[in-house]
Amino acid sequence: MILRVENLSKHYIIKSGAFSKRQVIKAVRDVSFQVMENQSLGLIGESGSGKSTIANLVLRLIPPSGGKIELFEEDVTSLKEEEMRRYRKDIQIIFQYTNDILDPQMTVDELIKEPLKIHNIVKDRELDQEVERLLEQVGLSPSERWKLPGQLSGGQNQRIIIARAIATRARLIVCDEPVSALDVSVQGQILNLLIRLKEELNLSYLFISHDLKVIRHMCESIAVMKNGEIVELGDTFEVLNNPQHEYTKKLIEAIL
Ligand code: ADP
Ligand code: MG
């Protein structure tokens, strides 16, 4: 088991003005799911349904309000920051690509070396060879290595982000809308790269998207979210062929 989440909740308490009443936002309510080795679980739901909050909880970037998170068979729900550190290289995240996500001053070479150095993945004298290998693995040409992010396309930059994620030998990659900002033609190429890497590297994905077509292409199972809750969860084929929840039916109708 790679990831198990049980009855996970996240509430935010906000106060908009000095005299206004406290308001509780239930961003995630009592969700449970599992991600198995070399499997992808898709999280789908409209904007604001709690998908990114789940990603942040799983990565332990924010503390949960309730429930349990197990990573690689260990309960990490209340691990402290420094105790979490040993998992940092095992779980990586790939966000929606934006121009500010990669340091514009760093070359591709430096960007890929960064995680290799931080996590001590290879010996110093093997760094160059490792960068070459990773570039090839994500489908970038050797000449791209000395360029800056600004000299590359969105798709090429997303490949750099993927190279950084797999550089640490991650076992679980949380993909939060990884292709939503890319042109449709490029989206397919990046998705196929992620599928190939999953098989080559035995990866598991928690794959977040608002696009059912993307989830259908990528994931063996699917969790449908609405207002912070999982309203339907199951094998992708079964859910799409026999949806139980009205909201799932609406999502399916929209892509027919
Ligand atoms: P999604 O990724 O599905 O679009 P999010 O997980 O980003 O949804 O947000 C879920 C809900 O939680 C939204 O109503 C959002 O406004 C709220 N939310 C997210 N982060 C915070 C925060 N730091 N403080 C208050 N509310 C938040
Ligand atoms: Mg989001």
Side-chain angles (χ1 to χ4, degrees):
M1 182 78 63
I2 298 294
L3 169 67
R4 188 207 302 269
V5 158
E6 266 172 38
N7 306 108
L8 191 65
S9 297
K10 180 68 187 177
H11 303 163
Y12 289 107
I13 295 165
I14 53 164
K15 242 183 119 183
S16 33
F19 302 104
S20 62
K21 260 175 63 181
R22 276 174 9 132
Q23 197 193 337
V24 180
I25 295 181
K26 296 187 172 175
V28 172
R29 315 170 187 222
D30 203 22
V31 305
S32 302
F33 60 82
Q34 301 173 3
V35 179
M36 316 286 260
E37 187 175 317
N38 199 218
Q39 299 279 305
S40 298
L41 171 67
L43 277 187
I44 187 160
E46 61 205 351
S47 174
S49 57
K51 306 182 297 298
S52 294
T53 304
I54 289 183
N56 290 330
L57 288 166
V58 165
L59 290 152
R60 290 295 326 275
L61 298 173
I62 54 173
S65 311
K68 187 169 158 187
I69 304 166
E70 262 179 47
L71 280 165
F72 318 117
E73 314 270 337
E74 197 197 339
D75 187 346
V76 300
T77 320
S78 40
L79 285 193
K80 294 192 184 64
E81 168 102 42
E82 62 268 24
E83 294 170 315
M84 238 349 248
R85 207 165 285 159
R86 69 194 147 97
Y87 288 111
R88 287 282 173 242
K89 70 180 180 53
D90 298 318
I91 328 164
Q92 295 287 314
I93 182 153
I94 300 172
F95 292 106
Q96 175 165 344
Y97 175 70
T98 52
N99 284 327
D100 55 6
I101 224 163
L102 295 170
D103 185 336
Q105 314 274 24
M106 286 170 78
T107 63
V108 173
D109 180 73
E110 291 167 326
L111 286 164
I112 297 180
K113 276 181 185 161
E114 190 176 54
L116 292 171
K117 288 180 186 166
I118 290 173
H119 296 287
N120 255 313
I121 304 295
V122 295
K123 300 189 187 82
D124 280 355
R125 60 183 163 79
E126 289 164 2
L127 275 172
D128 282 313
Q129 206 187 334
E130 184 62 9
V131 172
E132 261 171 50
R133 199 184 65 79
L134 285 163
L135 283 174
E136 193 189 340
Q137 198 160 31
V138 300
L140 287 167
S141 73
S143 60
E144 249 88 75
R145 183 166 173 184
W146 311 108
K147 293 186 179 165
L148 298 168
Q151 299 172 297
L152 298 168
S153 68
Q156 286 171 318
N157 278 315
Q158 194 61 312
R159 287 176 197 267
I160 298 168
I161 292 165
I162 294 169
R164 281 160 60 89
I166 61 170
T168 65
R169 316 296 194 252
R171 298 165 64 192
L172 172 65
I173 301 186
V174 177
C175 304
D176 192 352
E177 305 275 3
V179 296
S180 304
L182 302 172
D183 290 344
V184 175
S185 59
V186 181
Q187 285 191 7
Q189 296 168 17
I190 298 293
L191 294 176
N192 289 335
L193 170 64
L194 290 171
I195 290 174
R196 175 164 64 74
L197 293 174
K198 171 168 169 264
E199 296 318 315
E200 284 177 12
L201 305 172
N202 197 34
L203 298 172
S204 301
Y205 294 138
L206 177 59
F207 198 98
I208 295 172
S209 179
H210 66 278
D211 187 340
L212 187 57
K213 287 200 284 292
V214 170
I215 299 270
R216 182 177 61 182
H217 187 59
M218 295 298 295
C219 303
E220 289 91 356
S221 48
I222 177 173
V224 181
M225 289 196 68
K226 199 170 189 321
N227 301 326
E229 284 178 307
I230 291 179
V231 294
E232 185 148 3
L233 171 68
D235 177 86
T236 303
F237 183 84
E238 314 247 308
V239 168
L240 296 189
N241 282 291
N242 190 17
Q244 300 300 307
H245 197 276
E246 279 313 310
Y247 178 62
T248 316
K249 290 178 190 168
K250 261 175 46 188
L251 284 174
I252 295 168
E253 271 166 32
I255 64 159
L256 287 179

